[in-house]
Amino acid sequence: MKVLVELIVSFLSTVGFGLVTNVPRLSLLPAGITGSLAWVAYYLVLQVDHGLILSNFTAAIVIGILGNISAVIFRVPVNIIYVPSLVSLVPGGILYLGMRSFTLGNEWRTGQYMFNALTIAIALAVGFVVAEVIFNRIKPLLLKVVSRRKQPANK
C-alpha cells in the first residue's frame, strides 16, 4: 500500500513540477510516469540497500531509459522528460542542511551533508551515462517499431 502512495505522490509531484517549468502538455503524462516509476525504483532499492548511492543510481537509470523511450515516441527533446522526472531525486534538502550547518559553524556536520549531496549527484550522473549506453543499444529496435506504427496499412 505504501508503494502505491509513493507512486501517486511522485507522479503528482513530477507533473506539478512539469507544469511549473512549462513542459509541453503532451509531455506531462510520460514525464509523470517516468518520474513515478523512477521514484518507486528508488524507494524499493532503498528498502533493500539503505544507502544513497545504489538507490539514486537505479532511479537515474530508470529515468534515462524511460525518458529516452518517451522522447522518441512523443517526438520531444529528452530534457523535457528528464527535468520534471529528476526533481524528486535532487538533493536540495541535504544541500540546505549543509549550508545551514555551515552558517552555524558546525564544520563536521557540514562535511557530512556536502559529501552526501556530492555522492548523490555523482550517482545520478553515472546512472544517466549508463542509461544512455543501454538506450543506444535498444534505439534501433525502438525506431523500427515506431516507424512501423506510423505507416498507414496497405489495403
Side-chain angles (χ1 to χ4, degrees), residues 80-95:
I80 299 266
I81 307 293
Y82 275 3
V83 171
S85 300
L86 191 60
V87 72
S88 57
L89 299 172
V90 172
I94 295 172
L95 285 169

Side-chain angles (χ1 to χ4, degrees), residues 8-96:
I8 292 169
V9 170
S10 61
F11 178 83
L12 293 174
S13 69
T14 301
V15 170
F17 191 76
L19 287 171
V20 169
T21 56
N22 255 353
V23 168
R25 300 275 190 244
L26 175 69
S27 304
L28 286 175
L29 181 62
I33 292 170
T34 300
S36 60
L37 291 177
W39 181 260
V40 167
Y42 169 86
Y43 178 76
L44 292 175
V45 171
L46 194 61
Q47 300 308 305
V48 176
D49 183 48
H50 302 294
L52 296 173
I53 296 173
L54 187 59
S55 54
N56 281 287
F57 175 74
T58 304
I61 290 174
V62 170
I63 291 173
I65 292 172
L66 293 179
N68 275 300
I69 290 171
S70 297
V72 169
I73 292 173
F74 291 94
R75 296 177 184 238
V76 295
V78 72
N79 289 345
I80 299 266
I81 307 293
Y82 275 3
V83 171
S85 300
L86 191 60
V87 72
S88 57
L89 299 172
V90 172
I94 295 172
L95 285 169
Y96 166 77

Side-chain angles (χ1 to χ4, degrees), residues 60-152:
I61 290 174
V62 170
I63 291 173
I65 292 172
L66 293 179
N68 275 300
I69 290 171
S70 297
V72 169
I73 292 173
F74 291 94
R75 296 177 184 238
V76 295
V78 72
N79 289 345
I80 299 266
I81 307 293
Y82 275 3
V83 171
S85 300
L86 191 60
V87 72
S88 57
L89 299 172
V90 172
I94 295 172
L95 285 169
Y96 166 77
L97 292 173
M99 287 293 115
R100 183 171 170 256
S101 295
F102 178 75
T103 58
L104 294 175
N106 191 342
E107 292 87 14
W108 183 78
R109 186 164 270 176
T110 299
Q112 275 187 317
Y113 285 130
M114 293 305 167
F115 179 77
N116 285 343
L118 182 63
T119 302
I120 291 170
I122 291 171
L124 291 173
V126 172
F128 278 116
V129 169
V130 170
E132 288 292 327
V133 170
I134 294 169
F135 179 73
N136 283 333
R137 296 285 187 173
I138 63 173
K139 187 175 182 178
L141 177 64
L142 179 66
L143 290 175
K144 281 183 188 176
V145 170
V146 169
S147 67
R148 282 187 193 155
R149 191 183 72 172
K150 301 236 185 240
Q151 293 175 353

